[in-house]
């Protein structure tokens, strides 16, 4: 079994190698991000975390949703991804932090929502990591686990088949969320979208 530092090294190596060209590989994802952010139901003044923010593609729609009075924080483990976010000017939309979603430098119950694009597949300990996300969100706050394409399309892109033990399958994800302080409220898995929404139990 890999230890946590091994997991971190693997994730950082994977994304460091891809950071510079990440946005150019997926140039048409902007509307899908905006639609997923809209489904979070954010309001002006809300405080939201983009967990595993990468190059910050969700930051502009998150900022638009919470307005100038809101707080937007993007956290990522990989310096090269945050550097790409800065080059793209997305640091103007929110505060970028080099940090691990498994140990967030944020106060408990300090946020209204968490957005995680492509996050769940890279969590080394999903139950523990989702519990840490729950820690920083107030009761009644919302979590969005998003990917711009669905599970089948993503598996096909990588030359794989979906297996029943896939964490993102609805019963598996519902169960791990429930054990981590979240209640799933919505689940969509289509070729052009994956979005699971959950509410922080109080």
């Amino acid at each position: 079994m890999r230890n946590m530092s091994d997991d971190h090294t693997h994730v950082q190596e994977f994304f460091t190698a891809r950071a510079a060209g990440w946005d150019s590989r997926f140039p048409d994802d902007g509307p899908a991000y905006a639609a997923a952010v809209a489904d979070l139901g954010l309001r002006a003044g809300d405080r939201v975390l983009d967990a595993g923010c990468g190059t910050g593609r969700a930051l502009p729609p998150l900022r638009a949703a919470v307005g100038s009075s809101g707080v937007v924080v993007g956290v990522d483990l990989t310096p090269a991804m945050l550097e790409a976010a800065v080059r793209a000017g997305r640091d103007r939309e929110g505060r970028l932090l080099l940090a691990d979603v498994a140990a967030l430098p944020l106060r408990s119950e300090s946020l209204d929502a968490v957005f995680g694009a492509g996050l769940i597949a890279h969590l080394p300990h999903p139950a523990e990591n989702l519990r840490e996300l729950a820690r920083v969100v107030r009761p009644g706050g919302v979590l969005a686990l998003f990917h711009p394409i669905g599970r089948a399309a993503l598996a096909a892109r990588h030359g794989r088949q979906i297996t029943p033990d896939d964490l993102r399958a609805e019963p598996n994800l519902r169960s791990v969320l429930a054990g981590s302080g979240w209640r799933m409220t919505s689940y969509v898995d289509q070729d052009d979208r994956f979005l699971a929404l959950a509410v922080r139990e109080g």
Side-chain angles (χ1 to χ4, degrees):
M1 179 180 289
R2 295 185 309 185
N3 64 34
M4 186 68 89
S5 63
D6 290 335
D7 288 316
H8 286 182
T9 299
H10 174 73
V11 169
Q12 285 180 320
E13 288 175 351
F14 178 91
F15 284 108
T16 297
R18 292 161 175 81
W22 190 259
D23 286 351
S24 62
R25 288 179 63 200
F26 309 106
D28 302 321
D29 286 350
Y33 274 77
V37 168
D39 283 343
L40 264 176
L42 295 167
R43 295 171 297 204
D46 276 354
R47 300 153 298 170
V48 59
L49 170 68
D50 184 359
C53 66
T55 62
R57 288 182 294 171
L59 297 179
L62 289 171
R63 171 55 67 194
V66 303
S68 58
S69 62
V71 174
V72 178
V73 178
V75 166
D76 203 272
L77 187 64
T78 305
M81 293 298 260
L82 295 177
E83 290 161 11
V86 171
R87 284 195 302 274
R90 296 180 184 131
D91 56 322
R92 294 190 294 267
E93 311 292 350
R95 183 176 178 198
L96 298 177
L97 297 177
L98 180 65
D100 183 1
V101 298
L104 291 164
L106 300 169
R107 295 193 319 275
S108 296
E109 300 186 8
S110 61
L111 301 173
D112 298 292
V114 174
F115 184 86
L119 177 70
I120 192 80
H122 297 286
L123 296 179
H125 305 286
E128 294 173 31
N129 304 150
L130 289 166
R131 197 170 298 121
E132 172 66 356
L133 294 179
R135 179 187 69 79
V136 300
V137 174
R138 63 169 175 79
V142 184
L143 168 69
L145 297 173
F146 164 73
H147 202 285
I149 61 175
R151 292 189 305 132
L154 185 62
R157 177 187 285 176
H158 296 292
R160 295 195 301 260
Q161 298 278 330
I162 296 177
T163 58
D165 62 350
D166 180 0
L167 177 59
R168 289 163 292 185
E170 182 172 8
N172 301 340
L173 187 55
R174 184 181 297 277
S175 176
V176 74
L177 284 167
S180 305
W182 300 98
R183 175 174 53 83
M184 186 190 289
T185 58
S186 175
Y187 181 91
V188 176
D189 181 18
Q190 302 166 340
D191 279 352
D192 61 350
R193 182 183 221 214
F194 177 90
L195 182 65
L197 299 176
V199 171
R200 169 76 164 88
E201 298 278 42

